[in-house]
Every structure is written in C-alpha cells, then in structure tokens.
Amino acid sequence: MRNYTLKQIQTFIAVARHKSVSKAAEQLFVTQPAVSMQLRQLEDAFGLPLVETVGRNIGLTGAGQEFLTHAIAAIGQLKDLEALMAEHVGVRKGRFELAVVSTAKYFVPMLLVQFAKLHPGIVVTLRVDNRENVLGMLSRNESDLVIMGRAPKNLDCEAIPFATNPMGIVCAPDHPLSRRKRLAFDMLKDQAFVVREPGSGTRAAMERLFGQHETPINVAMEMPSNETIKQAVMAGMGMSFLSLRTVRHELAAGHLALLDVTGMPLVGHWYVTHLSQKKLAPAAKAFKTFLIEQGSGFIDAWA
C-alpha cells in the first residue's frame, strides 16, 4: 500500500469541489499552507500531479479526474462502514451529513435545533445548495440524507414526504394586480418576473407550471438567492414564484403581497431522501424518523 491518508483524500476532494485552495481551507477549517501540504504529500505518494493551476483556479489533471471519481466512491464506502459500526453504539451519539436545497434553509436549522433537544449527542454536518448540485451529492453518496422539494426520478432512491411545500406568485404590495381576486393565469404572461437560476428546484417548478398553462415567462432577472429575489420584488423589479415557506414573515408584515391566482397556491411536498442501497447510521435513521413523525408540525408553526 502506498503511504497516503484519509485526510489527504478528503482535502483533495474539497479542493476539486471548490477549485480553490483557499475555499477548501475554509471548509476544512485549516490554513491554506496545510491544504497545499496535504495535496503535495498525496501527489508524492503516487508520483504524479493530480492538480494544476488554471488561471486563478485549481483544475484537475487527467489522473486527478480519475482519482476524484474513485476517491468519492471510497469515501462513500467508508461512510457505510461507519454506519455499520455505529449500530453497535446506538443512537445516543453519532454523526451524519445532511444536504438540503437552498429553499429548505428557512426551516431546516429550526428542525435541527428541535432534533438536538431529543438527541444531544448527535452531530450533523449541513450543506446547502441548489437542487442540481444536491442531486449530485446524493448520486455520489456524499450525503447521508437529502431534503428537497421533489423526489428524484432518475436515481434509485427512497423518498418520503414529510411536509407540504406551498408555492405561489408574490409581488410588491402596490402592484396593480395585488388587490385583484381570482386572476386568470394568462394575465401573468406580460408581467416581469425575477426568477431563480437554472438548476434550482423552484425554477424547475415554475417552468413546469407556466408550461402547463402555455404561458411564457417574461424574465426580468435571474438570481441565485431567495433573499435577493425578495428584495428585488419589494423594490418593484417584478413578480416572483417562490415557496411560501420562504416569505411568511414578509407577507405578514405587508412587505410582499400574494397574488390571488386561480388554482394557486401550488402545493407540493418536502421529501427526505437517500439512496435505496444506503446503509443509514442510527443517527441518520433517528433524524429521518423525526422528520416523518414531527417535521410537519414544527414547520407549520415556524414557516
């Protein structure tokens, strides 16, 4: 066996993911020289370069690309091993990795606080990203559990709904349509919309909805943040289609208005998902059970 460590592999994966030594150092809570040293030692162990400088970013060599694929798979296998060993300890302590789509960040921290009250010995690593990237984490077995607004269709997964996800059209309170009742959907065709970026679950749901009504979307601007979108809508840039879980407080305060569109809000669900063959550790199993049994009540009270 060559002389390399698990820490070096994890460092390499972080650099490959962020394409940056500095961002990898932030994720791993170490210094940039420490990251560079781990990379150099890993390359020395195999006798060939795995990364290279591409402009201001870090890219992977051909060997590095192959190494990344197998490294991610190896980390997944080690997680399964940890889950198997954790069964001998029970649910009193443990850890798991949770990935959530960005819209879920409005209620997931609250759920983690409530879960921690029941299981104070469990440590959770949380990652937040858009749907496309979260699906990538799921498919590569990088996360134990995933929370998203629509079950994946092209992966062999177990997806269980645990709460509703109502979605609607919001606008500034002084918008001419804000006080109209039972608006026909085709009245939206000439309205400007501030929308999430491609790859977002909210954007995909919006495109499906407008496609079903054969109504084009007049995109005023794309933004990768619900918070920025809310500010843009309040400023009068246009309407938006958002999960109502993200705008409850703005609606209650009168900073945003919910359009009364026939057939709206569109009610979907939040799902807790994992690969069907995934060996869940007791800690992850406990959180999954918590979501299914108690998640809906906590979310309805919070958002």
Side-chain angles (χ1 to χ4, degrees):
M1 287 288 293
R2 296 179 184 271
N3 187 25
Y4 59 93
T5 67
L6 177 60
K7 184 176 181 180
Q8 291 166 1
I9 294 176
Q10 292 171 326
T11 300
F12 170 79
I13 292 175
V15 171
R17 179 181 293 130
H18 294 291
K19 298 180 181 179
S20 165
V21 169
S22 61
K23 291 181 179 178
E26 290 177 9
Q27 177 193 325
L28 299 171
F29 301 103
V30 298
T31 64
Q32 294 184 39
V35 170
S36 298
M37 181 183 69
Q38 294 292 333
L39 285 178
R40 185 169 61 254
Q41 291 175 345
L42 186 62
E43 291 178 327
D44 289 345
F46 287 91
L48 75 170
L50 300 176
V51 299
E52 59 187 355
T53 302
V54 181
R56 295 184 177 181
N57 296 322
I58 299 294
L60 299 183
T61 64
Q65 291 284 358
E66 291 190 31
F67 190 92
L68 178 64
T69 299
H70 290 280
I72 290 174
I75 294 296
Q77 290 292 319
L78 288 174
K79 287 181 180 179
D80 289 343
L81 175 60
E82 290 179 358
L84 184 63
M85 294 298 100
E87 291 185 352
H88 295 278
V89 177
V91 77
R92 296 185 307 277
K93 61 181 181 178
R95 62 187 308 123
F96 68 92
E97 296 192 14
L98 174 67
V100 306
V101 295
S102 53
T103 300
K105 70 184 179 183
Y106 290 89
F107 58 81
V108 165
M110 175 273 300
L111 291 176
L112 291 174
V113 169
Q114 298 300 326
F115 178 72
K117 293 177 181 179
L118 299 173
H119 303 284
I122 292 178
V123 177
V124 184
T125 300
L126 176 65
R127 295 181 62 187
V128 181
D129 215 318
N130 68 23
R131 176 182 171 86
E132 183 177 351
N133 292 333
V134 167
L135 279 173
M137 297 177 209
L138 177 64
S139 66
R140 295 188 297 269
N141 198 26
E142 292 183 22
S143 296
D144 301 300
L145 293 174
V146 162
I147 292 177
M148 57 177 50
R150 185 164 53 95
K153 295 181 178 179
N154 300 323
L155 291 174
D156 184 13
C157 293
E158 179 178 313
I160 299 176
F162 67 90
T164 59
N165 181 25
M167 309 186 80
I169 307 292
V170 296
C171 64
D174 59 354
H175 193 282
L177 297 182
S178 64
R179 300 183 185 276
R180 298 280 295 273
K181 300 297 182 183
R182 294 181 291 279
L183 290 166
F185 198 92
D186 62 5
M187 292 192 69
L188 302 175
K189 63 182 179 182
D190 296 323
Q191 299 298 322
F193 278 86
V194 186
V195 301
R196 285 291 304 272
E197 79 286 4
S200 157
T202 301
R203 174 69 174 269
M206 181 182 187
E207 291 175 344
R208 287 195 304 274
L209 176 65
F210 276 67
Q212 290 167 3
H213 287 85
E214 298 181 346
T215 300
I217 304 174
N218 178 18
V219 177
M221 188 171 291
E222 293 180 352
M223 297 180 179
S225 162
N226 288 331
E227 289 303 309
T228 309
I229 287 176
K230 286 190 286 185
Q231 294 298 322
V233 173
M234 285 188 276
M237 183 178 290
M239 299 179 175
S240 192
F241 175 81
L242 292 171
S243 169
L244 300 187
R245 302 288 190 189
T246 71
V247 293
R248 175 179 178 178
H249 300 294
E250 289 82 2
L251 291 174
H255 300 312
L256 289 175
L258 177 63
L259 279 192
D260 183 7
V261 180
T262 300
M264 301 287 287
L266 178 68
V267 180
H269 289 87
W270 288 107
Y271 292 84
V272 56
T273 306
H274 60 82
L275 294 175
S276 296
Q277 302 302 315
K278 178 71 177 178
K279 181 71 173 178
L280 291 180
K285 287 181 181 178
F287 186 68
K288 177 182 174 181
T289 300
F290 166 78
L291 289 179
I292 295 169
E293 295 181 352
Q294 302 184 51
S296 180
F298 281 122
I299 291 173
D300 287 344
W302 180 267

